[in-house]
Amino acid sequence: MNRKLVISLSLVYVLFMGALSIYYYTADETFKSLVSIGGVVCGAIPLSLALFTKLQFNLPIIISYLIFLFGSQFLGSILGWYGLGWWDTFLHLLSGSLLAFTGIALYERLVYRNAGKEISPWFVFLFTLSFSALGGIIWEIYEFSSDQLFGMTLQGGGNKDTMIDLIADTIGGLIIAVSAGVRTKIKLKKYKKACETI
């Protein structure tokens, strides 16, 4: 059920952005057409994962990802909401949280199941925060590279814009990382109590 829903939602977004890319290309609006093509590529990621791999993320993560893409690509870049000033920072706060949740999902799938009973809450906290922060850094590298190589203006505010974005990413990731660390600590305490009663 989840797999079919992920495929359906991703396909809707891909087709929506594909239609926009054709519309803006014929209207001779190159920037909006390129953003729409980027939307097709980004929207195809969960679609490809669902169709060609066994790696499945929780449905809320996929829905949050698609909402983030819509807010960033369509509302932000195409409709111009980035001009509001606060929209970019708000999206970076959300993306930091989303990346942290993705880090937790990857951790849960890649770590040996029984290792969770011995894992340090501090490790979970640091892994989640680091994953989130790294995602923010890679995005800023992408923005810088696009500006330098293709003459775009993704880093409109220069160094200040980059630092505000990274701080927002880190705060979003930090909130989720603290929550994940605390949750792991509680699980470990419950597991140890259960072992003591046996």
Side-chain angles (χ1 to χ4, degrees):
M1 176 62 184
N2 280 1
R3 188 171 174 273
K4 287 181 180 178
L5 193 54
V6 166
I7 291 170
S8 300
L9 291 173
S10 300
L11 196 55
V12 166
Y13 188 78
V14 166
L15 292 174
F16 172 66
M17 295 307 280
L20 284 180
S21 69
I22 294 167
Y23 170 77
Y24 285 119
Y25 180 77
T26 56
D28 203 28
E29 295 193 53
T30 309
F31 174 74
K32 290 182 179 180
S33 178
L34 287 172
V35 170
S36 302
I37 291 169
V40 171
V41 173
C42 293
I45 292 172
L47 183 63
S48 301
L49 288 173
L51 290 173
F52 305 115
T53 72
K54 292 182 179 179
L55 184 66
Q56 294 183 15
F57 289 99
N58 300 335
L59 190 59
I61 291 178
I62 300 297
I63 292 172
S64 299
Y65 172 72
L66 293 172
I67 290 171
F68 171 77
L69 289 182
F70 182 80
S72 172
Q73 295 169 332
F74 181 68
L75 296 178
S77 295
I78 293 174
L79 294 188
W81 284 27
Y82 281 127
L84 298 173
W86 57 270
W87 187 249
D88 183 45
T89 305
F90 173 69
L91 284 179
H92 274 277
L93 188 70
L94 288 183
S95 70
S97 301
L98 179 59
L99 283 165
F101 279 123
T102 305
I104 293 168
L106 281 173
Y107 159 80
E108 288 174 348
R109 283 157 181 76
L110 298 176
V111 172
Y112 182 62
R113 285 185 183 272
N114 289 335
K117 297 169 183 175
E118 304 295 331
I119 208 81
S120 165
W122 282 106
F123 174 79
V124 175
F125 167 78
L126 289 172
F127 177 81
T128 305
L129 180 60
S130 300
F131 189 89
S132 177
L134 177 62
I137 290 167
I138 290 171
W139 180 258
E140 292 305 316
I141 291 171
Y142 157 74
E143 285 191 351
F144 175 78
S145 302
S146 297
D147 288 355
Q148 296 300 310
L149 298 174
F150 305 112
M152 298 175 79
T153 55
L154 298 176
Q155 291 181 305
N159 184 55
K160 184 178 179 182
D161 174 73
T162 300
M163 292 312 301
I164 290 172
D165 290 350
L166 288 175
I167 289 167
D169 286 325
T170 305
I171 290 171
L174 182 63
I175 292 166
I176 306 307
V178 168
S179 171
V182 169
R183 195 176 65 179
T184 303
K185 191 170 184 176
I186 292 168
K187 281 184 180 178
L188 285 173
K189 280 185 179 179
K190 285 181 181 177
Y191 174 72
K192 285 177 183 176
K193 276 186 180 180
C195 290
E196 287 172 3
T197 56
I198 294 172

